[in-house]
């Protein structure tokens, strides 16, 4: 690859100033601190209880934090410098990790949907499987290794190019500018497209994405149906299952809404779409917006995370101001979500005590 592609993209896209200001003033910071705080909250909660759902949320948050560091940070630096941050090897590394992030996020969200479907629709089977946080972490690790392999294979087949949004990506075609010269006179600049069709790699990707999307949609539809059937129950464990299922259902929908445009843009550009660089530029920005959306969803739908975000922000401001701003009046006891045995028995007895009166009514 030519060295000049690291100085300026081949087809630069100049976005609207208002879009640039809003995007860079909110998305990178919210993506990094929001997901970092989410991961810290999960670690704090794990000191008091071990929970499969917490392990899944923590894995997703950690993956998003690494995405901000590896994918978004070099892009932001290159945007400010007007020159790509890194060498050809770093560009290839960035291209692989970008795909790796998308695949791993997708795999974790599918795993969450399958786990929730088992817990709600097949509770006896779920208990018999004895799924623990350690098993979940190990399975997520295996998913990450598989996704890394799937993301790395195309690197040995497809060329890596610098896109207009200052990020690197693997493509199945590369455009080269050629100048036709006859008798020492320059006639016209010609753009030549060289294709690299490798159907086997495309088939593997399609199979992976198709199976994942089917599982994701089917599990969430089944979960929504089961939650509607069990709506009359008020036992706390069932209520928590409903809340977590709704939370992760929203996360799954947001991921699909922010990721599918990028997938469609890739296929469209591979088939000769006009203004391809503009479409890919904004499609990739939408993907990065999805990284920032998860903490907002957690904070909006879960009181635990909302209180945790406020606490961590106040502690960050406290130390950033050299302790001039006081710490919050409460401490890390807000992360202790354990429920006493007596409290559980009382809640169950209260719910069972209502049944005779309801039946007599």
């Amino acid at each position: 690859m030519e060295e000049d592609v690291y100085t300026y993209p081949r087809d630069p896209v100049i976005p609207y100033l208002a879009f640039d200001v809003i995007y860079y003033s909110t998305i990178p910071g919210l993506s990094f601190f929001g997901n970092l705080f989410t991961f810290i909250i999960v670690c704090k909660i794990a000191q008091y209880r071990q929970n499969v759902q917490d392990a899944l949320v923590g894995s997703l948050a950690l993956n998003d934090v690494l995405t901000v560091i590896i994918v978004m940070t070099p892009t932001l630096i290159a945007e400010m410098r007007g020159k790509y941050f890194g060498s050809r090897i770093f560009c290839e590394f960035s291209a692989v990790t970008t795909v790796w992030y998308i695949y791993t996020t997708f795999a974790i969200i599918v795993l969450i949907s399958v786990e929730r479907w088992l817990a709600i629709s097949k509770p006896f089977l779920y208990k018999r499987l004895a799924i623990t946080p350690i098993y979940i972490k190990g399975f997520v690790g295996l998913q990450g290794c598989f996704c890394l392999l799937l993301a790395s294979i195309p690197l040995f087949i497809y060329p890596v190019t610098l896109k207009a949004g200052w990020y690197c990506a693997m493509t199945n075609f590369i455009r080269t500018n050629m100048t036709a010269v006859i008798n020492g006179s320059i006639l016209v600049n010609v753009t030549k497209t060289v294709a690299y069709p490798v159907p086997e790699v495309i088939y593997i990707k399609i199979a992976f994405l198709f199976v994942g999307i089917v599982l994701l949609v089917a599990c969430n539809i089944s979960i929504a149906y089961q939650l509607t059937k069990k709506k009359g129950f008020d036992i706390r464990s069932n209520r928590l299952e409903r809340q977590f299922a709704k939370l992760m259902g929203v996360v799954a929908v947001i991921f699909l809404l922010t990721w599918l445009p990028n997938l469609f843009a890739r296929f469209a550009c591979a088939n000769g779409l006009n203004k391809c660089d503009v479409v890919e530029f904004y499609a990739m920005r939408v993907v990065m917006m999805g990284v920032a959306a998860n903490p907002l969803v957690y904070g909006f739908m879960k009181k635990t995370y909302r209180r945790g975000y406020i606490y961590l922000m106040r502690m960050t401001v406290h130390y950033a101001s050299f302790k001039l701003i006081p710490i919050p009046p409460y401490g890390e006891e807000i992360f202790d979500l354990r429920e006493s045995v007596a409290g559980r028995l009382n809640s169950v007895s209260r719910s069972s005590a209502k049944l005779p009166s309801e039946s007599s009514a």
Side-chain angles (χ1 to χ4, degrees):
M1 192 188 309
E2 300 87 346
E3 187 65 26
D4 60 352
V5 300
Y6 301 109
T7 304
Y8 200 78
R10 294 177 179 275
D11 298 296
V13 174
I14 308 300
Y16 294 102
L17 179 61
F19 176 85
D20 255 357
V21 171
I22 295 174
Y23 179 86
Y24 285 111
S25 62
T26 57
I27 301 302
L30 185 59
S31 300
F32 179 74
F33 288 105
N35 287 290
L36 179 62
F37 285 172
T38 301
F39 182 71
I40 294 174
I41 290 171
V42 171
C43 292
K44 294 291 185 182
I45 294 175
Q47 295 177 357
Y48 302 98
R49 74 171 189 187
Q50 295 293 325
N51 189 285
V52 171
Q53 292 80 17
D54 295 332
L56 289 168
V57 173
S59 300
L60 188 60
L62 180 60
N63 186 57
D64 288 340
V65 170
L66 295 177
T67 301
V68 177
I69 296 174
I70 298 175
V71 179
M72 294 184 69
T73 301
T75 299
L76 181 60
I77 295 174
E79 184 76 25
M80 294 186 297
R81 296 175 68 223
K83 182 179 180 181
Y84 182 66
F85 179 79
S87 60
R88 175 178 179 176
I89 295 178
F90 187 84
C91 188
E92 294 173 347
F93 170 78
S94 178
V96 171
T97 51
T98 301
V99 179
W100 184 23
Y101 148 70
I102 295 177
Y103 287 172
T104 306
T105 302
F106 179 61
I108 293 175
I109 292 177
V110 172
L111 176 62
I112 292 174
S113 299
V114 173
E115 187 272 339
R116 283 295 83 203
W117 176 78
L118 282 174
I120 295 175
S121 302
K122 309 289 181 181
F124 296 107
L125 176 61
Y126 186 82
K127 291 181 180 179
R128 192 157 59 243
L129 292 175
I131 300 176
T132 64
I134 295 179
Y135 291 157
I136 287 294
K137 293 175 184 177
F139 195 80
V140 170
L142 292 176
Q143 280 186 327
C145 294
F146 173 76
C147 293
L148 177 60
L149 178 64
L150 193 62
S152 301
I153 291 176
L155 182 64
F156 301 97
I157 304 171
Y158 297 136
V160 176
T161 57
L162 184 64
K163 296 294 183 177
W166 294 109
Y167 70 95
C168 296
M170 291 173 282
T171 57
N172 63 341
F173 65 93
I174 182 171
R175 284 171 297 175
T176 56
N177 293 325
M178 302 178 61
T179 303
V181 180
I182 298 179
N183 296 327
S185 301
I186 299 177
L187 296 181
V188 66
N189 291 327
V190 180
T191 299
K192 182 180 179 182
T193 300
V194 182
Y196 293 82
V198 186
E200 292 80 5
V201 177
I202 297 176
Y203 294 154
I204 293 174
K205 288 184 178 182
I206 291 176
F208 171 72
L209 298 176
F210 177 77
V211 172
I213 291 176
V214 169
L215 281 175
L216 188 65
V217 173
C219 287
N220 280 279
I221 291 176
S222 178
I223 289 170
Y225 175 72
Q226 293 294 329
L227 293 180
T228 303
K229 286 174 53 179
K230 298 180 180 180
K231 193 173 181 180
F233 293 93
D234 289 325
I235 298 176
R236 184 176 187 274
S237 60
N238 184 265
R239 186 172 68 252
L240 292 177
E241 284 184 356
R242 292 202 308 269
Q243 291 175 351
F244 185 74
K246 292 177 182 177
L247 172 67
M248 300 319 299
V250 173
V251 170
V253 170
I254 290 177
F255 176 78
L256 289 177
L257 291 177
T258 56
W259 169 66
L260 287 178
N262 184 61
L263 183 65
F264 294 149
R266 292 294 183 89
F267 280 109
C269 290
N271 289 279
L273 175 70
N274 292 329
K275 297 185 178 180
C276 176
D277 296 286
V278 176
V279 173
E280 284 189 333
F281 176 87
Y282 285 104
M284 193 62 183
R285 290 297 189 271
V286 172
V287 171
M288 294 298 105
M289 289 178 186
V291 181
N294 289 347
L296 295 177
V297 175
Y298 301 147
F300 180 77
M301 299 186 65
K302 288 282 288 183
K303 182 179 179 181
T304 301
Y305 289 99
R306 187 162 58 249
R307 293 175 62 186
Y309 292 147
I310 295 173
Y311 172 77
L312 292 175
M313 284 190 292
R314 293 183 66 173
M315 292 299 295
T316 302
V317 172
H318 168 70
Y319 287 107
S321 65
F322 300 99
K323 301 182 179 181
L324 295 177
I325 298 177
I327 61 175
Y330 49 88
E332 294 188 1
E333 64 273 5
I334 62 171
F335 301 114
D336 187 356
L337 302 182
R338 293 174 297 180
E339 189 180 22
S340 65
V341 177
R344 288 197 298 269
L345 292 177
N346 290 334
S347 62
V348 173
S349 62
R350 285 196 300 270
S351 61
S352 60
K354 295 180 181 178
L355 296 179
S357 60
E358 293 174 356
S359 59
S360 60

